[in-house]
Amino acid sequence: MQETGTRAQEEEPEERPELANLRVRGRSVKTWVIGAGAVVLAISAAFGGLNKADAETPALTAGATVDAGQFAVIVDRMVAVKDLEPTFKPDPGGALLVAVTRLKVTDDLGTTPPSDLIRLIGVPGIKDTDPPLGVSTVDDNTTNPVLTPDVEQTIAFVWKLPKLSELPTEAKVTVQGYKHYDESILDHHEKWLPDAIAAEGTIKVKDNTKVVTK
């Protein structure tokens, strides 16, 4: 008696194609995966997503020049003031914290100081991600000034402090670095994009809240 069907003859399992041999739109799946990973890394790097401050970040000290790519940056001092009328005013009962800097554009095109160039870390009442309330020149209070290439200008970055009675004695400051791209992956134009943190350090805060600043 002859057995039929699967009992009579064992069928060999169907051979499955290797992942590397599968093709989508003429390209292997492996190539698509690698390509997608490269795009994610490139976009993340363009926004500074993979470039956090770490133990190797250069130390920031008051008065020292920092190479931030698009800018040469000097953080001269940190000052707490009661107000900077008529340009900047604190909330009732609060004060202002000012990073007084000297900036020089290293590019051949003038630009305004980016809001993320200077950030404060660990200051009570100010989130680490908070941009400044405003940016202005110190000599004539021009807000969001256009910096001239190779000309050093004194620029104030201003934040609000919630309580005049609780002023910080020091502040950790970071300087954002920028990298030049001949062709941006976002719009294929030449531009500067955030790179690694160029420097970070703690600077003492001078209390000038009793000084009239009008």
Side-chain angles (χ1 to χ4, degrees), residues 25-42:
R25 295 184 180 180
R27 297 174 60 188
S28 70
V29 170
K30 182 178 180 181
T31 302
W32 280 105
V33 171
I34 294 174
V39 170
V40 170
L41 288 174

Side-chain angles (χ1 to χ4, degrees), residues 77-83 94-98 161 163-170 203-213:
R77 58 193 182 277
M78 294 294 302
V79 184
V81 296
K82 194 170 183 179
D83 63 62
L96 300 176
L97 185 57
V98 184
L161 287 170
K163 294 183 179 181
L164 176 60
S165 59
E166 298 179 5
L167 300 179
T169 58
E170 60 183 22
I203 298 177
K204 292 183 178 180
V205 175
K206 184 178 181 182
D207 182 1
N208 278 359
T209 57
K210 297 179 177 60
V211 177
V212 177
T213 56

